[in-house]
Amino acid sequence: MYRPFYIYLLHTLISVSASTAFNDNTRPLDIALFHSLSRIGPPVVSPDATKVLFTQSRYQYNTTTTYINVADLAGRIAQVTPSKGGEAYGNPIWFDNETIGYLHKNKLYKQALNSSTATAIYSPETDISSVSYRQGRLFFVASVYANSTLAETKTKRGDSVLIYDNIWVRHWDEWMSERKPALFTAELDDWQVGEETNLLQSLPTFHDPQHRWAMDDYTVDRQGQVAAFLARTPENEQSWKTSVGVYTVPTDGSDAPRLISKGIEGASSAPAFSADGRHLAWLQITEPAYESGRKRIYVSDVASGATVNVAGDWDSSPLSLVWSQDGASLFTVVADNGNHNIYQVDVATGHYRPLTKAGSASAVRILGNDLVLLHSDTDSPSDIYRLNVSSGERRALTAINEKALENVYIGGAEDFWFTGARGDLVHGWLVKPPGFDSTKKYPLACLIHGGPQQCNTHSFGYTQWNPNMYASAGFIAVMINFHGSSSYGQNFTDSIKEQWGGYPYDDLMMGLDYLIGKHAFIDAGRMVALGASYGGYMVNWINAQSRRFRALVSHDGMFSVPHFWYSTEELWFPEHDFGGVPYDPMARPRYEQFNPERFAANFSTPTLFIHGANDFRLTFDQSLAPFTLLRRKGIPARLVYFPDENHWTSRTSNSIKCLD
């Protein structure tokens, strides 16, 4: 059986026995099988709402292949593009009900659904993405120099020097450059693409050419007349303020972009036009230096600019927006007690009601009077579903991995609630190994989510944190949504402020105590904890505070909290969560209170550290330091370094890293 390297190490350290039982017809969900599963992209609905396009990707033989399928409402699926090994056909769009478009090797193709012949209609000078089509116009995003065309950008620079005056010099895994993403449009007439127009060319810019604007997302009304996009506010404070504004601009380029969210300093997201183009909705955080504040629904009249807050007393934080056909409702995905559920919100009254109650929905689109969406659960990978808004009935249009998962063990989540920090109820769930026998003892793997203002969800994750891989390897896989997690109300999320190693740590320890006291099948002497990002911080904090785990895994974690402020790229993050800056004598104690480095003398648990060289959120030395510490103390530790990875392990071959 193939196992990812971190599971292999944990098996070695805690001596997992052959308690994992498979019958003759059942296979484990091992790492090779897991990464061979197909992954599907968001549905793209045809103009007549009778069909959907979607991408399907599969990893085999060290290459990922992506191709495009079409499905009708009866669930009949046909492959539209070739599935050549290692090639990618993506960004599917509809030109009309029988003609589609897509990107392949940075060329835009058109193809009739009833034909296998495709024709290239656009070969841009630089890479483009996020292509859409409205009423005879193409829209797309390209990274260019300010006020430059694609052709000018291709030939403009000969040197590679980067010079900075502002401190936001890099983000996630990229250094800031003079090239920034901009929204372009071009007429499409008789399959001939006209001259491109940069719709952001009149956007106010900051003087530092390395900084300038940074467009994040866009949408275009159905009439093809107005585009709405998101852009960061051009000011010095970009590294310690989260301000992102919503702008609108005529698609013919006749006027400069207009800031719709004027006077609101927080982050905007998810712009969406109503079907008639008269209203624009978006999500808005109103705190200027907090990325995890409650998102509120704003609706603006496009003509007058009058804006209202819809469902303002709702304590949940919506994640996306799509309008109903009649413009009376908005549909949104909401993190809801460890699920991602769809809610319908009445625009006039603010009344909201759930349409789904379990699992994780995403990529919601309008399909006539119904919805089409992606949905998954702990024991079922993502597929496309049609949802009847009136009845709530959900019907699958695809079953992409049905054959691949025949006779493969996938366990469902078993929820539990316990009393955690502050006397609050805390939610978690576990997944049991195959052939589970309650009379036997099983090791436990505690999977700790990142964020920290995120949450584990009832979904089928496609990363190394899928609990079913640990269950197949013989562990009781446990996930706990500690204080700071989203989906349990904003107060629960905000409670982690200045409490990184406080309430969440208490929740994890109290949750494990609850499970051990309730279930005799858990072997308390063979427990491991694993986490990434904030989860990696918590693993290091556990190493400093507890001896109850036999082994630990810290993936892109944090060791020194003060150093985190000096080396990270989004300063608003530590300044909010730790209450100031570390050089301030008043704030320094808050940085030190839950600083794992301060308790370095206590580190004694064997640990696997994993880190990518291009992680600019938590730099590589945050793993090198505790690895050095443990090895110098003579404690088993291993450092896995990826020179080509960022904050995530994105390349499938790196994620697999199998050992027999």
Side-chain angles (χ1 to χ4, degrees), residues 225-237:
Q225 296 177 351
V226 181
F229 62 89
L230 304 174
R232 293 196 176 274
T233 305
E235 59 184 358
N236 272 308
E237 294 82 9

Side-chain angles (χ1 to χ4, degrees), residues 30 83 88 141 203 238 302 378 444-445 492 495:
D30 62 37
S83 50
V141 174
L203 184 71
Q238 284 184 308
V302 174
T378 308
L444 179 147
F492 193 84
S495 66

Side-chain angles (χ1 to χ4, degrees), residues 418 420-421 426 480 482-483 503-512:
F418 63 94
V426 177
I480 293 174
F482 44 79
H483 279 80
Y503 301 149
Y505 175 80
D506 293 342
D507 289 340
L508 291 169
M509 298 302 107
M510 296 165 82
L512 293 176

Side-chain angles (χ1 to χ4, degrees), residues 105-431:
K105 296 182 178 178
N106 203 47
K107 291 183 179 181
L108 180 64
Y109 288 81
K110 76 171 183 74
Q111 180 177 331
L113 281 181
N114 60 2
S115 172
S116 60
T117 302
T119 303
I121 61 173
Y122 183 41
S123 300
E125 296 283 345
T126 61
D127 290 348
I128 65 173
S129 62
S130 303
V131 180
S132 61
Y133 174 75
R134 290 283 194 281
Q135 304 297 332
R137 300 192 74 90
L138 287 174
F139 300 88
F140 57 88
V141 174
S143 288
V144 296
Y145 296 108
N147 304 325
S148 296
T149 66
L150 274 64
E152 289 169 343
T153 293
K154 183 179 180 181
T155 59
K156 190 169 184 178
R157 283 282 298 269
D159 62 83
S160 61
V161 64
L162 299 174
I163 302 171
Y164 301 97
D165 294 320
N166 289 300
I167 60 175
W168 204 18
V169 300
R170 56 188 187 176
H171 193 223
W172 283 120
D173 60 357
E174 292 182 304
W175 291 88
M176 295 292 184
S177 75
E178 291 185 49
R179 290 179 61 168
K180 297 291 183 184
L183 176 60
F184 283 82
T185 185
E187 288 190 10
L188 180 62
D189 184 19
D190 195 25
W191 304 116
Q192 300 296 312
V193 178
E195 184 178 353
E196 309 112 342
T197 298
N198 184 344
L199 293 177
L200 271 64
Q201 61 188 351
S202 300
L203 184 71
T205 57
F206 188 67
H207 66 84
D208 184 347
Q210 304 295 340
H211 225 137
R212 307 194 77 92
W213 35 264
M215 199 201 76
D216 292 327
D217 192 13
Y218 83 93
T219 188
V220 180
D221 65 6
R222 291 191 188 181
Q223 295 72 29
Q225 296 177 351
V226 181
F229 62 89
L230 304 174
R232 293 196 176 274
T233 305
E235 59 184 358
N236 272 308
E237 294 82 9
Q238 284 184 308
S239 65
W240 66 89
K241 282 189 179 180
T242 58
S243 299
V244 173
V246 180
Y247 294 79
T248 59
V249 62
T251 58
D252 60 5
S254 60
D255 202 355
R258 179 167 63 105
L259 179 62
I260 299 298
S261 56
K262 192 173 183 179
I264 308 173
E265 289 195 75
S268 310
S269 60
F273 282 106
S274 58
D276 59 12
R278 294 174 56 191
H279 293 93
L280 175 69
W282 74 90
L283 299 176
Q284 183 69 54
I285 297 174
T286 56
E287 297 98 324
Y290 185 30
E291 64 181 0
S292 300
R294 180 163 69 89
K295 295 179 181 177
R296 296 167 169 84
I297 301 173
Y298 279 61
V299 175
S300 177
D301 184 288
V302 174
S304 68
T307 300
V308 296
N309 177 205
V310 177
D313 60 347
W314 196 8
D315 192 36
S316 293
S317 194
L319 302 174
S320 60
L321 291 174
V322 62
W323 286 86
S324 62
Q325 288 280 40
D326 60 8
S329 299
L330 284 162
F331 300 101
T332 179
V333 174
V334 174
D336 191 6
N337 286 344
N339 299 289
H340 279 161
N341 290 326
I342 302 174
Y343 278 74
Q344 183 179 19
V345 182
D346 186 283
V347 175
T349 66
H351 176 73
Y352 49 88
R353 69 182 184 100
L355 301 181
T356 61
K357 295 182 179 180
S360 288
S362 64
V364 178
R365 307 288 187 263
I366 292 295
L367 184 76
N369 292 320
D370 292 342
L371 300 176
V372 64
L373 59 133
L374 292 179
H375 192 274
S376 75
D377 211 328
T378 308
D379 56 357
S380 57
S382 291
D383 273 301
I384 297 175
Y385 288 79
R386 181 181 183 179
L387 178 68
N388 185 299
V389 173
S390 298
S391 67
E393 178 187 3
R394 193 178 74 234
R395 184 169 62 84
L397 298 183
T398 66
I400 295 299
N401 289 296
E402 187 175 40
K403 265 195 169 179
L405 291 174
E406 281 182 348
N407 303 319
V408 174
Y409 176 77
I410 301 182
E414 298 184 20
D415 292 79
F416 59 87
W417 292 79
F418 63 94
T419 301
R422 306 195 307 180
D424 295 334
L425 284 177
V426 177
H427 182 208
W429 54 88
L430 58 84
V431 179

Side-chain angles (χ1 to χ4, degrees), residues 515-590:
L515 291 175
I516 292 167
K518 183 175 181 179
H519 300 302
F521 55 77
I522 293 176
D523 188 343
R526 293 191 298 160
M527 297 197 302
V528 298
L530 312 87
S533 193
Y534 172 83
Y537 158 85
M538 179 53 69
V539 164
N540 289 332
W541 183 247
I542 287 171
N543 214 336
Q545 302 296 317
S546 175
R547 301 290 176 271
R548 70 188 307 178
F549 295 97
R550 292 281 294 276
L552 300 168
V553 176
S554 176
H555 186 149
D556 287 0
M558 185 195 305
F559 177 65
S560 172
V561 176
H563 180 67
F564 170 55
W565 182 90
Y566 286 101
S567 59
T568 195
E569 10 78 284
E570 291 183 351
L571 294 182
W572 65 71
F573 182 23
E575 288 181 16
H576 174 274
D577 280 19
F578 297 107
V581 293
Y583 57 81
D584 180 351
M586 298 297 292
R588 183 70 181 208
R590 294 191 286 271

